Amino acid sequence: MIVISLNEGESSMKLSHVRDLLDAIVLSGESHLDDDVRSGFGCDLMSDVLCFAKEDAILITGLVNKQVLNTADMANMNSIIFVRNKMPSQEMIDIAKERNILVMSTKYILFECCGILYKNGLEGAHIR
Amino acid sequence: MSYELSFEVERGDFETAGEASRKIKRTLQQLGISNKVIRKVSIAGYEGEMNLAIHSWGGKIVLEVGEDTLILTIEDTGPGIKDLDLAMTEGWSTAGEEVRQMGFGAGMGLPNMKNNADNFQITSKIDEGTKIVMSFLV
């Protein structure tokens, strides 16, 4: 029997499950698909991500530029999903591969992504 | 163990902004510093690096590695901050539209740096520059 113990208010979901729920295309960092993600942070404002997102959270965003990768990297977040069919450039994908960050793209809009993941048990970051 | 790393950051160079913070993070990882401390230094350093690219006329980031403490100094040449109390208020920003479109300029940078550092000091003079010194306990 495997018992998974989580702190109060914490949830967990395999990144492969996130991919399946959002029907997402994986662009880099496939090796993380077996990792657990503990919360989600949906946001286009990187300043807020740096302030409030937790480690082990997936970043769900409609903003597509290199600073998104830097933000995830500095905040120790190893997974990003770009919404509304937004595709990062090849340069961004190469950088993500080099840094071993899981990057996915989904057809759903930000609101739907957050709703689907939340409905399936993934929680948001609990802000201080 | 005691040494220093220094990085120059140019004004408006959003293509390479973030590289200094990445190098700092890698260095701290190689030194075996705990992930918790590395995350704090990385976030504070990156916020500072973006501020240099966004607001300053150019500046530098210096990391001093000591036995028990890491010191991150972020110093620039101009234009200086008119009202430091206002600048430290969450949500207050002078950043322009281009910066906001990149996901920055929300007025959270300085307060976030202060929140992550164990000690935070800022001094600024109009037309001369701003100096931020942050220390982190290892």
Side-chain angles (χ1 to χ4, degrees):
Chain A
M1 186 175 72
I2 299 167
V3 178
I4 299 169
S5 165
L6 293 171
N7 294 326
E8 196 182 340
E10 277 193 72
S11 54
S12 171
M13 186 183 283
K14 283 248 181 288
L15 282 162
S16 55
H17 192 39
V18 172
R19 175 200 58 194
D20 296 344
L21 286 170
L22 299 177
D23 194 16
I25 303 164
V26 177
L27 301 166
S28 73
E30 287 85 354
S31 63
H32 285 303
L33 282 169
D34 213 28
D35 292 355
D36 283 317
V37 61
R38 286 181 170 266
S39 62
F41 202 91
C43 190
D44 287 352
L45 201 53
M46 294 304 108
S47 307
D48 279 1
V49 177
L50 289 167
C51 277
F52 304 119
K54 286 185 164 183
E55 284 187 283
D56 304 327
I58 183 167
L59 173 57
I60 308 151
T61 186
L63 187 74
V64 187
N65 65 40
K66 278 203 278 185
Q67 299 306 340
V68 176
L69 296 175
N70 284 335
T71 298
D73 193 353
M74 292 305 113
N76 287 353
M77 300 165 85
N78 65 14
S79 56
I80 302 169
I81 187 150
F82 292 113
V83 303
R84 198 160 52 78
N85 282 325
K86 294 195 178 193
M87 291 295 278
S89 64
Q90 189 57 47
E91 187 194 4
M92 278 184 68
I93 295 171
D94 292 343
I95 293 171
K97 281 181 179 165
E98 183 194 317
R99 300 184 192 178
N100 196 20
I101 297 173
L102 173 64
V103 172
M104 299 189 271
S105 178
T106 176
K107 64 187 173 189
Y108 294 106
I109 61 170
L110 182 63
F111 179 81
E112 287 176 305
C113 279
C114 297
I116 291 167
L117 296 179
Y118 193 84
K119 194 172 70 179
N120 281 279
L122 192 68
E123 299 199 5
H126 295 271
I127 291 170
R128 63 178 183 265
Chain B
M1 174 175 84
S2 181
Y3 66 93
E4 200 177 288
L5 285 175
S6 181
F7 304 91
E8 301 283 332
V9 180
E10 285 180 36
R11 172 189 196 176
D13 187 0
F14 301 118
E15 194 56 28
T16 60
E19 284 187 6
S21 310
R22 272 179 45 72
K23 284 175 187 161
I24 286 170
K25 182 177 178 180
R26 297 295 171 259
T27 303
L28 297 178
Q29 283 173 330
Q30 283 161 10
L31 290 171
I33 305 290
S34 76
N35 264 336
K36 194 179 168 188
V37 173
I38 291 176
R39 188 173 190 262
K40 287 177 171 192
V41 176
S42 299
I43 288 175
Y46 181 47
E47 292 273 23
E49 188 174 357
M50 290 305 289
N51 272 354
L52 289 183
I54 294 167
H55 298 288
S56 83
W57 300 338
K60 65 176 180 178
I61 301 176
V62 178
L63 172 74
E64 291 168 72
V65 179
E67 283 289 338
D68 316 312
T69 315
L70 303 170
I71 297 170
L72 203 55
T73 304
I74 298 173
E75 193 168 11
D76 66 53
T77 53
I81 298 168
K82 198 174 172 183
D83 185 333
L84 275 179
D85 286 338
L86 203 54
M88 291 303 298
T89 306
E90 288 189 5
W92 187 86
S93 175
T94 57
E97 191 52 35
E98 185 202 7
V99 169
R100 290 173 196 263
Q101 281 177 1
M102 282 193 310
F104 286 86
M108 301 300 282
L110 288 174
N112 197 22
M113 288 158 78
K114 189 179 179 185
N115 284 338
N116 277 289
D118 291 304
N119 190 280
F120 176 94
Q121 288 177 315
I122 182 167
T123 49
S124 190
K125 270 191 179 168
I126 289 294
D127 290 336
E128 285 185 23
T130 300
K131 184 177 181 179
I132 295 167
V133 182
M134 292 176 280
S135 62
F136 304 83
L137 301 176
V138 175

